[in-house]
Amino acid sequence: MKIVLKNLTKKFPNRNKKQGGDVIAVNNFDFEIPDGKLVGLLGPSGCGKSTTLNLISGLEKPTEGKIFFGEDDVTKLPAQQRGVGLVFQSYALYPHLTVFKNIRFPLENLKGEDKLSKEEMEKRVKEAASLVQIDELLDRKPSELSGGQQQRVAIARALVKAPRVLLLDEPLSNLDARLRLQTREEIRRIQRKTDITTIFVTHDQDEAMSICDLIVVMKSGEMMQMGRPQDVYDDPVNLFVAKFLGTPPINVFEGKIENGGLFIGDDRVLDVKTDTSGTKNVYVAVRPEGFIIDDNGPLKCELGRLEVMGRDVSIVSKHASLISESGTIRSIVNSDNTVDLSLSHVNFSLKPHKVFAFDKETEERIRFIDG
Ligand code: ADP
Ligand code: MG
């Protein structure tokens, strides 16, 4: 089931009376979530991810705009009739019910022609439990399960009604690091197996990048960019998106474009063609993997230390024009590269496709023209 958002907007009255005005939680969203894909809504806390999900599920009513499931306009359809399965960060299981009864719960209230026999319900519960691999746990109470197992029960409960759409709101946030990794792979597996259109909300770029077919990067109720994770990483439309994706984060410098050159401070790091004229002040952002150690390289940095992490070597260095919060440049080079630690400096040349320029005022990307 594809989901189409048309000029979707949600405003909340501002609780802070002194500020006045509305909070625009979701501003004019206009995009399509393709059928059968796992799509990540990604952005910092407060950017409108949960509100978007709640609008799609019907828990919130939009201020303006429409929502379509396939060709059906569901904007006015009550939540229960939309056929969505919901999973939240807090698993919201019923503590006094067994796993079996928790999963069966949504089936018990089905009325009319949807009403199921006891045997049919049991069959469905077992199928859902088997899908998330908790067959052995059906007699337990939630308190007898680990966090990861509880989250699987919540997913089974969302799947048992065979929803048209599965909505997951930060489903991994309550799990420890190891379980988070495991459970995100589970979500990927279950989505592939069921082919249900799934929207996965997270503030963790690593999580979204690793399992989603598509990501939607959001900031303050605005949709910034949508695309395949690698495409968005390789081709960010603005500084926010460039900074939000990637670990270690992208390195941002003060720079300029002048006389066909891209400068970081006074270092002319690349020859570039743009449609700007004169001197243009920019932010220059370089991915950690975009640095090449090169004695004759144009970017002249003060050498800090080396960090060896398995096959990668991270060089920590400094440059006067760096404005990243960390205060140091993080560059990852192949461990075959050596750097003379007795020296106080290190020079780099840069891989052109790992370097982006952004307008200093608008923070929008300034594209280099090929050739
Ligand atoms: P996220 O899930 O990305 O953290 P939310 O969708 O929860 O963000 O919130 C987006 C914005 O809308 C925030 O500024 C939040 O304070 C505001 N907001 C969310 N729900 C309400 C509400 N019921 N009443 C007023 N403001 C709300
Ligand atoms: Mg939220």
Side-chain angles (χ1 to χ4, degrees):
M1 180 71 53
K2 81 172 173 189
I3 301 170
V4 182
L5 309 184
K6 282 228 162 93
N7 309 110
L8 193 68
T9 297
K10 179 67 182 180
K11 298 176 184 168
F12 292 109
N14 202 327
R15 290 202 197 91
N16 184 338
K17 290 274 171 353
K18 278 187 200 141
Q19 280 178 354
D22 293 334
V23 177
I24 305 178
V26 170
N27 194 7
N28 209 9
F29 276 16
D30 213 2
F31 58 86
E32 188 176 314
I33 291 170
D35 180 35
K37 298 281 187 227
L38 176 53
V39 177
L41 292 186
L42 175 64
S45 176
C47 73
K49 303 181 296 296
S50 295
T51 304
T52 307
L53 220 57
N54 294 341
L55 289 168
I56 294 171
S57 71
L59 293 177
E60 294 276 6
K61 295 269 162 291
T63 313
E64 281 164 56
K66 285 190 185 331
I67 301 165
F68 294 84
F69 284 6
E71 304 305 317
D72 300 341
D73 183 346
V74 299
T75 317
K76 298 220 161 72
L77 202 65
Q80 316 81 277
Q81 291 172 32
R82 289 193 189 186
V84 298
L86 281 169
V87 176
F88 300 101
Q89 173 178 349
S90 63
Y91 324 116
L93 300 176
Y94 303 106
H96 58 289
L97 297 182
T98 61
V99 168
F100 182 90
K101 287 183 177 168
N102 263 285
I103 299 173
R104 192 181 62 185
F105 195 81
L107 301 179
E108 286 170 356
N109 299 317
L110 295 176
K111 303 246 157 47
E113 58 184 42
D114 293 333
K115 197 169 160 60
L116 298 175
S117 70
K118 233 180 154 181
E119 292 71 35
E120 183 62 23
M121 283 197 252
E122 182 166 340
K123 183 165 162 268
R124 292 259 211 117
V125 170
K126 288 192 168 155
E127 279 167 9
S130 161
L131 188 63
V132 303
Q133 298 175 338
I134 49 165
D135 317 63
E136 312 295 306
L137 307 174
L138 288 171
D139 297 328
R140 296 208 199 164
K141 295 273 176 66
S143 61
E144 296 161 343
L145 303 176
S146 72
Q149 290 168 333
Q150 290 186 44
Q151 193 54 291
R152 284 170 194 236
V153 177
I155 295 170
R157 187 179 54 182
L159 289 172
V160 77
K161 275 169 88 173
R164 302 196 282 177
V165 177
L166 183 62
L167 305 176
L168 310 169
D169 194 349
E170 311 242 8
L172 309 178
S173 300
N174 280 2
L175 305 177
D176 64 44
R178 218 188 146 91
L179 262 177
R180 263 211 308 273
L181 280 179
Q182 227 178 56
T183 313
R184 80 185 192 198
E185 293 309 321
E186 267 302 274
I187 289 174
R188 171 83 275 196
R189 184 186 64 76
I190 293 164
Q191 196 278 328
R192 277 277 150 82
K193 187 124 193 244
T194 57
D195 264 343
I196 296 178
T197 307
T198 301
I199 305 181
F200 172 70
V201 161
T202 179
H203 61 270
D204 181 336
Q205 58 90 26
D206 189 39
E207 233 166 71
M209 298 277 286
S210 61
I211 65 167
C212 295
D213 297 309
L214 292 169
I215 55 172
V216 178
V217 184
M218 297 170 53
K219 177 195 177 193
S220 318
E222 306 279 345
M223 199 269 250
M224 300 274 105
Q225 190 168 3
M226 179 172 185
R228 294 200 314 223
Q230 193 63 41
D231 293 345
V232 179
Y233 180 85
D234 288 337
D235 198 11
V237 298
N238 60 34
L239 182 63
F240 176 83
V241 175
K243 282 165 77 173
F244 202 75
L245 301 185
T247 41
I250 200 162
N251 300 283
V252 184
F253 302 88
E254 304 249 17
K256 65 185 176 191
I257 296 170
E258 193 175 69
N259 295 329
L262 178 69
F263 290 78
I264 289 178
D266 293 326
D267 298 339
R268 183 175 170 132
V269 292
L270 290 178
D271 293 334
V272 293
K273 264 194 199 160
T274 61
D275 47 21
T276 61
S277 57
T279 300
K280 176 110 189 137
N281 288 326
V282 296
Y283 292 117
V284 182
V286 186
R287 292 278 180 216
E289 67 277 20
F291 296 82
I292 303 164
I293 299 169
D294 176 357
D295 287 341
N296 303 314
L299 185 66
K300 297 174 174 49
C301 299
E302 186 189 323
L303 182 59
R305 60 179 199 283
L306 286 191
E307 282 174 10
V308 181
M309 304 170 295
R311 78 194 146 84
D312 290 327
V313 176
S314 175
I315 300 173
V316 181
S317 62
K318 285 189 175 177
H319 190 282
S321 295
L322 183 80
I323 54 165
S324 294
E325 281 105 39
S326 67
T328 52
I329 302 168
R330 298 252 151 197
S331 48
I332 294 175
V333 297
N334 197 289
S335 56
D336 304 340
N337 282 289
T338 49
V339 60
D340 185 349
L341 279 174
S342 65
L343 297 178
S344 60
H345 63 273
V346 56
N347 293 349
F348 297 105
S349 51
L350 302 179
K351 300 177 191 168
H353 63 290
K354 294 290 179 184
V355 181
F356 312 119
F358 300 97
D359 186 297
K360 201 116 182 237
E361 271 83 56
T362 64
E363 301 192 356
E364 295 295 318
R365 179 90 170 272
I366 296 173
R367 294 190 177 272
F368 307 138
I369 301 161
D370 287 339

